C-alpha cells in the first residue's frame, strides 16, 4: 500500500468514526453493526441514515411477544408507534413535560397496560385507519412524516443559530496598564464573540509543551511556499501560521491576554457552507485536530521522501484498539484507529463505568463460548496502542426526539486524577475477563445482600415502613408501659353531644382537690352531678381530645400478667439483638464487597499504564447556549489553573470537582484530557543545549516568531507611553485649571476687601503663587452659610476657648497656637471615639479622616492653618488678627518643608471619600424606594470607588461588605423584575425585561466575578439559573429565539469589564446636610436588619 493510500484510508476511517459518533448521539442507537449498515445504505448522508434507523425502529417483527402498540400524543399530531419495548422509550412523552403524566387523561389514548384484548384490537384498527387516511391525503406514511418533522426542526434550529447575531464583545480597558501581563503569569485569550470554546481547547493544547514546541517550530513545506496545490493547503497553511503567531504571543507577550481573531475566523469559515449540519464544540475540536494533522502530514511527506512518513499529530493524539466480536455466530477481529474516544454519560456514576460500557457492545456471552451457530452478536474493544495524550469526549448532549432539539445531561460523573488503563489493554484481556466475571458475581451477591438489608431497614407491608429494630423497640416500650385495667373511653359519657369532651361534663373540683395525680371519686364519671349535665358543652378544637389526667399519655396493654410481661420482654430483647446483629453483618458484608470491587484492579500488575489528568474542559449552560472554560494542571507549580477567556487564576482540585463532576449546577465536564505519566517529555520544559539552562519567554521562539513578538511588545510599550503622556498632560491641565480658578477667587476676595470702608492693611499682599493655599470646597465656601458657617463657628469656639484658658493676655501668634491645639484635641477625640455606623465623624471634618488614616504631621498642621486662615471668619478684632497670623504663617512655609503633591493627594482622597459617600447615600435611598434601575449605577460606582480607597487603608473608605450586599441585592431585584417581564410574554414587557438585562445586569456581572467573592458568585449563579430554567419550557418561537440570543451574553464568564456610561452627576451637599442624610439612611438600614427583614 502506498503512502497516499495509507493516508486516505486513515482519513476514511476517522471520517466514518465521526459519522458513527454523530449518528449514535442523534438516534440513541448503540448497535455498531446497525449504525454501519445505515451509513452504507445512505452513502454517508447523515439525514438519510437517521431516516433509515428510525424506519428500522418502527418496523420490528410483530410475532415477538414483547411487541406492542401504543398511541400517544406529540405536539398536535397524533401518531401510533409500533416497536419493541426496548425501542419505544424515545417515543414516549418526557415525564417532565406537560401531558407526560398519567393523571392527564386523553380520549385519543388507548390504555394498553392491562390485559384487555379488545383495547389491543381497537388500537390496531385505529392505527390502520389513521395510517391509511394520512397516506390517502398526502401520499406520505406516518413514519416518513415523523422523520421529516425531526429533521426539519433540527435543520431550522441550526439555520437560525447561524443567522443569529454574535454576542456583544467585551471592550478592552482604555488603560493599557490594566492589560499588562504580570510576571510569569499565563496569557489569556480574548473572547471575540462566542469563542470561549476556542480558548478552552487552545489553552489545553498549548499547555502540552511537546505540542507547543511542534507548533512553534513548524515550517511550511518548501514546495507550497509560492503557491498551494489545492484548497486544503490553501486553507490549512494560513491557519497553521496564525496558530504559530498566537502561540508565540502566548509565550512572550507583555499583554495580559491576546486576540485570537485571525485563527478563529479561518476555523469558523469552514462551517459557513454547511448550514444544515449541527455544530458544537466537539466538531470544532475535531476540525482543529484534522487541520493540524493535514498540515504536519504535508511536512512529514516532504521531510521523508521515499519512506513512510511519521505524523507527529497522529503519534501524539491517535491510538488503536482491537474490536473482537461475533456477528450472527461468526467471530471477527478488526484493528481500528481512534482519536477522541467518545463515552456515554447517562446512567453511569464514574469514568470507569463509562469505559466498561464503551468497551462492550451487544450480547457478549457468545464470545466466550465455542458455539459457532449462535445467533447472538456483540463485540469487545481492547486497546492495543494508547496515544501519549488520551482524550475522552463525554457525551453530555442527547437529542430529544419528542421536542426535536438537543438537551444537556446534568447527571454527576466522577473521574480520577490518575487513571490506570491496564484493564482495557489487549495484553491483559484474559486477566480482565476473569476479573470482570468476578465483579459480576460479586455484584449479583451484593444485590441479594442489599435486598435482604432493605427488608430489615424498611419493614412492613403498607406504604409506611420502618426499620425492624425500631419496630421491636416500640413493641418493647408498649409492653413495658404501665398497665391500665379500664378502657380509655370507659369513663366518658357516651351521651355527650358531638364535639363535647369528657372533661367538659365532669364537675369542676375545688382548688384543694386538684393536683397532678388527683382522680374523681369512683362512679362520678358515669353519673355526673345534675348541675354539670345542665351545662352547655363548649367546643374547643385544640383541647377537646386531651385525655383525663388519670390516663397514660401513650397506649399501654390493659391485661397482662407478670409472667407474660417477663416472657415478652425477654423475647423482644432477644429478637431485637438478633435483628441488630443481622443488620450489622449485612452492612459489613456489603462494605467488604464494595471494597473488594474497588481493589479488584489495585495490584501492581494492573497499575502499569498510568495516565494523569492534564486538562478538563467545562461547559456551563444548556444544550443550545452556554460558556466554556478549562482547568489545566501546572506540574511546575503543582496546582490547577483555571483558564476562563482573559482570566487566568489559580484554582484547586475541590473547585474543579465542584464545576466538573456535574449534578451540582449547570456546569459539567464535556472533555477530559489525560497524558501518559511515563512520558515526561509531554510537559517538560526545553533546555539550552550549550548552557543547560531552561529556556523561557522569547528564548523558546524561533527567529521569525521572536521578531513578531518583539514588534507586538514594542507596540504595546508605545501604547503605555502614550497613555502615560496623556494622563500626565491631563493631570497638569487639571492642576492648572484649579490654580486659575483659585487665583480668580482670591482676586475677587481681594477686590471686595479693598473696596470696603476699612483701614488699609499693613499686611503684605498675597503672592501670585498662593493658589495652592486656597481652601478645598469642604473647608471654605463662597457663602458664609451651611458648612462654612458651621466650620467658622467651630473655629471661633476654639479661639474663644483658647483665650479663656489663658491667664494673661497673649499675642495673636500665641493665641493661634493655643486655638489650634484646642481644635486638634477636639478632633482627635472624635477620631478615637467608637460611634454608631450612622455617625461617621470623618464626614464632619477632614482632620478626623486624616488622623484615622495616619496622615503625616505636616499635612495636619497645614490643613489646620488653612482652617484658621479662612477669610470668612468673624469680624471681631481677635479673629481677624488670628486669621492674618495664620495666612502669614502659610506664606512663610517653604516648598521644601512640605510636599505639596502629597498634600493635594491627601485632600483628593478625602474628596473621593465624600463623593463615594454621596454615591452610596443616593443609591441606598433609591434602593429603599425600590427604584432599582436608578439605584444600580450609584451602588456600582460607590463600590468601585470605595475599593480603590480601601486599597490604601482600612479607614480610607466605607464597609465594602455593606456596599457589596446592596449592589448584589439590587442586581438580584433587577434580574427578578426582568424575568417577570419575560414570563409575561407581552412584547413590550419582554423587550423591556431583556433591555434591563442587556444594559444593566449583564455588564455588571464581570464586576461580581472579578474578585471571586463567594456571595457574589452565588448571586451570579442564581441569576443564570433563573434564565436557564426557561430552556426546558414551551414558549412562543419569537421568545425562544430572543432567549437563545440573550443567554450566551448572560453565561459569558469573562471577567473583562465592559465600559459603562459616565457616572451619574452628583448634587452639591453641605457637610451638615450630607451628615444628616447619610446618618438617616444608615440608621434605617440598621433598623431593617434588626427587625430581621
Amino acid at each position: 500500500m502506498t503512502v497516499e493510500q495509507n493516508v486516505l484510508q486513515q482519513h476514511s476511517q476517522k471520517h466514518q468514526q465521526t459519522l458513527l459518533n454523530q449518528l449514535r448521539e442523534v438516534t440513541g442507537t448503540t448497535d455498531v453493526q446497525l449504525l454501519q449498515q445505515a451509513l452504507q445504505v445512505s452513502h454517508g448522508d447523515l439525514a438519510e441514515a437517521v431516516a433509515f434507523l428510525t424506519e428500522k425502529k418502527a418496523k420490528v417483527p410483530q410475532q415477538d411477544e414483547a411487541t406492542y402498540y401504543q398511541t400517544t400524543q406529540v405536539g398536535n399530531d397524533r401518531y401510533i408507534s409500533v416497536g419493541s419495548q426496548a425501542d419505544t422509550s424515545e417515543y414516549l412523552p418526557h415525564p417532565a413535560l406537560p401531558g407526560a403524566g398519567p393523571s392527564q387523561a386523553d380520549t385519543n389514548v388507548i390504555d394498553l397496560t392491562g390485559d384487555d384484548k379488545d383495547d389491543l384490537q381497537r388500537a390496531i384498527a385505529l392505527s390502520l385507519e389513521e395510517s391509511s387516511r394520512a397516506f390517502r391525503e398526502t401520499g406520505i406514511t406516518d413514519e416518513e412524516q415523523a422523520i421529516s418533522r425531526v429533521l426539519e426542526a433540527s435543520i431550522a434550529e441550526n439555520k437560525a443559530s447561524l443567522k443569529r447575531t454574535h454576542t456583544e464583545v467585551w471592550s478592552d480597558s482604555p488603560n493599557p496598564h490594566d492589560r499588562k501581563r504580570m510576571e510569569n503569569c499565563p496569557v489569556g485569550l480574548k473572547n471575540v464573540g462566542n469563542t470561549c470554546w476556542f480558548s478552552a481547547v487552545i489553552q489545553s493544547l498549548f499547555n502540552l509543551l511537546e505540542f507547543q514546541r511542534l507548533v512553534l517550530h513548524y515550517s511550511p513545506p518548501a514546495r507550497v511556499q509560492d503557491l498551494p496545490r489545492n484548497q486544503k493547503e490553501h486553507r490549512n497553511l494560513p491557519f497553521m501560521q496564525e496558530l504559530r503567531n498566537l502561540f508565540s504571543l502566548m509565550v512572550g507577550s507583555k499583554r495580559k491576554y491576546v486576540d485570537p481573531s485571525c485563527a478563529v475566523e479561518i476555523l469558523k469559515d469552514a462551517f459557513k457552507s454547511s448550514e444544515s449540519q449541527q455544530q458544537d464544540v466537539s466538531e470544532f475540536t475535531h476540525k482543529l485536530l484534522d487541520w493540524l494533522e493535514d498540515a504536519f502530514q504535508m511536512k512529514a511527506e516532504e521531510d521523508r521522501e521515499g519512506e513512510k512518513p511519521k505524523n507527529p499529530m497522529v503519534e501524539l493524539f491517535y491510538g488503536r484498539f482491537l474490536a473482537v466480536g461475533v456477528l450472527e455466530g461468526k467471530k471477527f477481529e478488526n484493528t481500528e484507529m481512534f482519536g477522541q474516544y467518545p463515552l456515554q454519560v447517562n446512567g453511569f456514576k464514574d469514568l470507569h463505568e463509562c469505559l466498561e460500557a464503551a468497551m462492550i457492545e451487544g450480547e457478549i456471552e457468545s464470545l466466550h463460548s465455542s458455539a459457532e451457530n449462535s445467533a447472538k452478536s456483540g463485540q469487545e474493544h481492547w486497546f492495543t496502542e494508547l496515544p501519549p495524550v488520551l482524550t475522552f469526549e463525554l457525551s453530555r448532549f442527547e437529542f430529544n426526539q419528542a421536542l426535536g432539539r438537543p438537551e444537556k445531561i446534568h447527571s454527576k460523573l466522577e473521574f480520577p486524577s490518575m487513571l490506570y488503563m491496564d484493564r482495557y489493554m489487549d495484553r491483559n484481556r484474559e486477566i480482565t475477563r476473569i476479573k470482570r466475571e468476578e465483579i459480576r458475581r460479586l455484584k449479583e451477591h451484593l444485590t441479594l445482600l442489599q435486598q435482604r438489608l432493605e427488608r430489615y431497614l424498611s419493614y412492613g407491608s403498607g406504604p409506611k415502613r420502618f426499620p425492624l429494630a425500631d419496630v421491636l423497640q416500640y413493641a418493647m416500650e408498649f409492653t413495658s408501659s404501665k398497665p391500665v385495667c379500664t378502657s380509655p373511653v370507659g369513663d366518658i359519657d357516651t351521651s355527650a353531644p358531638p364535639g363535647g369532651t369528657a372533661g367538659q361534663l365532669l364537675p369542676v373540683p375545688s382548688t384543694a382537690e386538684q393536683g397532678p395525680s388527683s382522680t374523681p371519686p369512683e362512679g362520678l364519671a358515669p353519673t355526673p352531678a345534675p348541675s354539670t349535665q345542665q351545662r352547655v358543652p363548649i367546643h374547643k378544637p385544640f383541647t377537646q381530645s386531651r385525655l383525663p389526667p388519670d390516663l397514660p399519655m401513650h397506649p399501654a396493654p390493659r391485661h397482662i400478667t407478670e409472667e407474660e410481661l417477663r416472657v415478652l420482654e425477654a423475647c423482644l430483647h432477644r429478637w431485637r439483638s438478633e435483628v441488630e446483629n443481622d443488620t450489622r453483618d449485612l452492612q459489613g458484608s456489603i462494605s467488604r464487597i464494595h471494597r473488594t470491587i474497588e481493589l479488584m484492579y489495585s495490584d501492581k500488575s494492573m497499575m502499569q499504564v498510568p495516565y494523569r489528568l492534564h486538562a478538563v474542559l467545562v461547559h456551563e449552560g444548556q444544550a443550545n447556549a452556554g460558556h466554556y472554560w478549562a482547568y489545566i494542571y501546572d506540574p511546575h507549580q503543582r496546582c490547577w489553573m483555571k483558564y476562563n477567556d482573559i482570566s487566568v487564576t489559580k484554582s484547586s482540585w475541590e473547585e474543579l470537582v465542584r464545576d466538573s463532576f456535574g449534578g451540582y449546577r449547570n456546569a459539567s465536564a464535556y472533555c477530559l484530557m489525560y497524558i501518559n505519566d511515563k512520558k515526561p517529555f509531554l510537559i517538560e520544559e526545553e533546555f539550552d543545549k550549550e548552557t543547560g539552562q531552561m529556556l523561557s519567554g522569547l528564548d523558546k521562539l524561533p527567529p521569525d516568531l521572536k521578531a513578531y513578538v518583539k514588534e507586538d511588545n514594542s507596540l504595546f510599550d508605545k501604547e503605555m507611553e502614550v497613555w502615560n503622556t496623556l494622563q500626565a498632560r491631563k493631570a497638569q491641565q487639571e492642576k492648572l485649571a484649579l490654580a486659575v480658578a483659585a487665583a480668580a477667587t482670591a482676586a475677587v476676595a481681594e477686590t471686595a476687601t479693598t473696596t470696603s470702608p476699612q483701614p488699609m492693611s499693613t499686611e503684605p499682599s498675597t503672592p501670585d503663587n498662593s493658589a495652592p493655599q486656597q481652601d478645598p470646597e469642604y473647608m471654605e465656601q463662597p457663602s458664609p452659610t451651611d458648612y462654612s458657617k458651621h466650620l467658622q463657628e467651630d473655629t471661633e469656639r476654639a479661639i474663644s476657648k483658647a483665650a479663656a484658658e489663658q491667664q494673661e493676655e497673649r499675642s495673636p501668634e500665641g493665641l493661634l497656637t493655643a486655638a489650634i491645639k484646642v481644635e486638634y484635641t477636639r478632633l482627635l477625640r472624635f477620631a478615637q471615639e467608637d460611634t454608631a455606623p450612622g455617625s461617621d465623624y470623618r464626614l464632619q471634618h477632614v482632620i478626623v479622616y486624616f488622623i484615622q488614616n495616619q496622615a503625616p504631621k505636616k499635612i495636619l498642621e497645614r490643613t489646620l492653618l488653612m482652617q484658621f486662615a479662612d477669610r470668612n471668619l468673624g469680624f471681631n478684632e481677635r479673629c481677624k488678627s488670628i486669621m492674618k497670623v495664620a495666612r502669614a504663617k502659610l506664606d512663610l512655609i517653604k516648598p521644601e518643608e512640605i510636599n505639596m503633591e502629597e498634600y493635594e493627594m491627601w485632600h483628593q482622597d478625602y474628596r473621593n471619600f465624600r463623593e463615594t459617600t454621596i454615591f452610596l447615600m443616593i443609591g441606598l435611598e433609591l434602593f429603599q424606594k425600590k427604584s432599582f434601575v436608578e439605584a444600580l449605577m450609584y451602588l456600582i460606582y460607590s463600590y468601585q470607588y470605595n475599593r480603590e480607597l480601601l486599597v490604601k487603608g482600612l479607614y480610607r473608605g466605607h464597609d465594602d461588605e455593606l456596599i457589596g450586599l446592596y449592589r448584589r441585592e439590587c442586581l438580584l431585584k433587577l434580574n427578578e423584575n426582568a424575568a417577570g417581564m419575560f414570563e409575561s410574554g407581552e412584547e413590550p414587557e419582554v423587550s423591556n425585561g431583556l433591555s434591563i438585562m442587556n444594559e444593566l445586569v449583564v455588564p455588571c456581572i464581570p464586576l461580581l466575578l472579578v474578585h471571586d467573592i463567594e456571595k457574589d458568585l452565588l448571586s451570579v449563579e442564581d441569576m443564570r439559573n433563573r434564565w436557564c430554567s426557561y430552556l426546558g419550557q414551551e414558549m412562543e418561537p419569537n421568545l425562544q429565539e430572543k432567549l437563545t440570543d440573550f443567554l450566551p451574553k448572560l453565561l459569558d464568564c469573562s471577567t473583562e469589564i465592559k465600559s459603562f456610561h459616565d457616572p451619574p452627576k452628583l448634587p452639591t451637599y453641605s457637610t451638615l446636610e450630607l451628615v444628616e442624610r447619610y446618618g438617616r439612611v444608615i440608621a434605617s438600614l440598621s433598623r431593617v436588619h434588626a427587625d430581621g427583614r
Side-chain angles (χ1 to χ4, degrees), residues 474-484 552 554-557 560 565 569:
Y474 301 152
M476 287 171 56
E477 293 174 359
F478 174 79
T479 304
S480 59
S481 300
K482 182 180 178 182
V484 176
H554 50 78
I560 187 168
L565 181 61
E569 285 184 340

Side-chain angles (χ1 to χ4, degrees), residues 418-453:
M418 185 66 74
L419 178 69
Y420 293 96
M421 295 294 293
D422 303 74
R423 70 184 80 173
Y424 310 109
M425 301 302 295
D426 182 53
R427 61 175 178 265
N428 297 323
R429 188 195 305 184
E430 297 306 321
I431 299 176
T432 301
R433 282 177 175 172
I434 294 172
K435 289 183 179 291
R436 283 178 180 170
E437 179 61 26
E438 178 66 16
I439 290 175
R440 185 191 64 78
R441 187 186 63 78
L442 287 172
K443 286 186 175 180
E444 288 179 356
H445 186 49
L446 180 65
T447 301
L448 293 175
L449 292 178
Q450 288 172 336
Q451 291 174 352
R452 190 175 301 173
L453 177 63

Side-chain angles (χ1 to χ4, degrees), residues 501-752:
T501 65
Q504 292 163 351
L505 296 177
L506 291 173
V508 180
S510 63
T511 306
E513 294 173 345
Q514 290 181 353
S517 61
S518 64
T519 57
E522 188 175 356
L524 183 60
T527 34
S531 61
T532 306
Q533 290 178 347
Q534 294 174 1
R535 293 173 57 192
V536 178
I538 302 173
H539 178 66
K540 298 180 179 180
F542 296 106
T543 60
Q544 63 183 9
S545 59
R546 290 179 183 171
L547 292 172
D550 62 325
L551 293 180
M553 296 302 295
H554 50 78
R558 258 178 263 131
H559 303 286
I560 187 168
T561 65
E562 291 294 332
E563 182 65 23
E564 290 173 336
L565 181 61
R566 187 166 56 252
V567 172
L568 269 177
E569 285 184 340
C571 290
L572 289 171
H573 272 293
R574 185 175 69 252
W575 294 338
R576 186 170 186 270
S577 298
E578 291 172 356
V579 168
E580 289 177 342
N581 291 334
D582 290 347
T583 303
R584 279 195 296 269
D585 291 344
L586 285 170
Q587 290 172 336
S589 298
I590 290 172
S591 298
R592 285 191 294 273
I593 292 177
H594 276 301
R595 185 65 177 162
T596 303
I597 293 174
E598 290 175 2
L599 298 177
M600 186 64 69
Y601 296 99
S602 61
D603 51 297
K604 288 187 178 180
S605 63
M606 300 298 284
M607 300 177 69
Q608 300 301 311
V609 189
Y611 272 77
R612 185 178 56 76
L613 186 62
H614 165 70
V616 180
L617 280 65
V618 180
H619 175 268
E620 180 182 34
Q622 299 295 332
N624 54 355
H627 180 68
Y628 296 90
W629 69 88
Y631 289 101
I632 303 172
Y633 187 73
D634 187 332
H636 307 291
Q637 298 189 52
R638 297 180 180 275
C639 70
W640 285 92
M641 303 291 290
K642 182 178 181 180
Y643 290 79
N644 190 352
D645 289 338
I646 68 169
S647 172
V648 182
T649 56
K650 280 190 177 182
S651 185
S652 63
W653 176 253
E654 291 71 24
E655 183 183 1
L656 183 152
V657 166
R658 185 194 68 193
D659 286 350
S660 306
F661 278 10
Y664 171 68
R665 53 179 192 170
N666 289 332
S668 54
Y670 76 91
C671 183
L672 305 176
M673 192 176 290
Y674 284 88
I675 58 175
N676 193 323
D677 204 41
K678 291 187 175 181
K679 296 184 178 180
F681 71 91
L682 293 169
I683 52 175
E684 276 184 347
E685 293 284 356
E686 193 173 0
F687 291 85
D688 188 275
K689 295 179 180 179
E690 297 180 358
T691 63
Q693 294 182 347
M694 186 177 73
L695 298 178
S696 61
L698 296 178
D699 295 333
K700 298 171 68 173
L701 304 178
D704 62 325
L705 294 180
K706 188 180 294 185
Y708 175 78
V709 175
K710 283 183 177 179
E711 181 181 358
D712 184 76
N713 286 342
S714 177
L715 293 174
F716 188 62
D717 288 336
K718 289 180 180 178
E719 185 181 354
M720 287 193 291
E721 290 176 7
V722 170
W723 171 266
N724 294 337
T725 302
L726 290 175
Q727 295 305 306
R729 187 181 304 165
K730 184 178 178 182
Q732 188 66 26
Q733 289 174 348
E734 290 177 353
K735 197 171 183 180
L736 182 61
L738 287 173
V740 171
T745 304
V748 170
E750 191 68 30
T751 302

Side-chain angles (χ1 to χ4, degrees), residues 306-496:
E307 300 180 25
K308 184 178 179 180
K310 288 188 177 181
N311 190 320
M313 289 295 108
V314 174
E315 294 184 346
L316 203 58
F317 294 102
Y318 289 89
R320 296 180 183 275
F321 66 84
L322 183 67
V324 182
V326 175
L327 180 61
E328 297 179 355
K330 296 181 179 180
K331 295 186 178 182
F332 65 89
E333 285 191 6
N334 293 325
T335 300
E336 298 183 25
M337 200 172 184
F338 72 93
Q340 291 179 282
Y341 202 82
L343 295 176
Q344 296 295 320
V345 170
N346 212 4
F348 306 110
K349 69 176 184 179
D350 59 38
L351 186 61
H352 277 299
E353 284 193 2
C354 295
L355 277 166
E356 290 282 355
M359 304 302 281
I360 301 176
E361 297 181 6
E363 301 181 50
I364 210 66
E365 290 85 356
S366 56
L367 282 172
H368 314 303
S369 65
S370 58
E372 288 289 334
N373 58 352
S374 173
K376 295 182 178 179
S377 298
Q379 63 174 306
E380 290 177 331
H381 291 174
W382 299 96
F383 292 117
T384 56
E385 181 183 348
L386 288 174
V389 182
L390 180 59
T391 305
F392 295 114
E393 184 181 304
L394 305 182
S395 180
R396 282 198 173 271
F397 303 98
E398 62 181 2
F399 191 81
N400 188 319
Q401 301 241 356
L403 297 178
R405 64 174 182 232
E407 290 183 342
K408 186 176 179 183
I409 301 169
H410 292 292
S411 56
K412 183 178 182 180
L413 183 79
E414 299 179 359
F415 48 85
S417 58
M418 185 66 74
L419 178 69
Y420 293 96
M421 295 294 293
D422 303 74
R423 70 184 80 173
Y424 310 109
M425 301 302 295
D426 182 53
R427 61 175 178 265
N428 297 323
R429 188 195 305 184
E430 297 306 321
I431 299 176
T432 301
R433 282 177 175 172
I434 294 172
K435 289 183 179 291
R436 283 178 180 170
E437 179 61 26
E438 178 66 16
I439 290 175
R440 185 191 64 78
R441 187 186 63 78
L442 287 172
K443 286 186 175 180
E444 288 179 356
H445 186 49
L446 180 65
T447 301
L448 293 175
L449 292 178
Q450 288 172 336
Q451 291 174 352
R452 190 175 301 173
L453 177 63
E454 183 65 20
R455 296 191 189 103
Y456 279 92
L457 298 180
S458 299
Y459 184 79
S461 57
K464 291 186 179 180
R465 303 188 179 195
F466 304 92
L468 180 55
D470 292 348
V471 172
L472 294 172
Q473 177 65 31
Y474 301 152
M476 287 171 56
E477 293 174 359
F478 174 79
T479 304
S480 59
S481 300
K482 182 180 178 182
V484 176
C485 295
T486 59
S487 170
V489 294
D491 55 351
I492 299 176
D493 188 355
T494 56
S495 64

Side-chain angles (χ1 to χ4, degrees), residues 80 113 145 265 273 317 526 579 612 724 751 772 874 890 955 1013 1059:
I80 298 176
T113 58
Q145 289 179 357
E265 289 304 319
S273 59
F317 294 102
V579 168
R612 185 178 56 76
N724 294 337
T751 302
L890 287 171
Y955 298 103
I1013 299 173
S1059 57

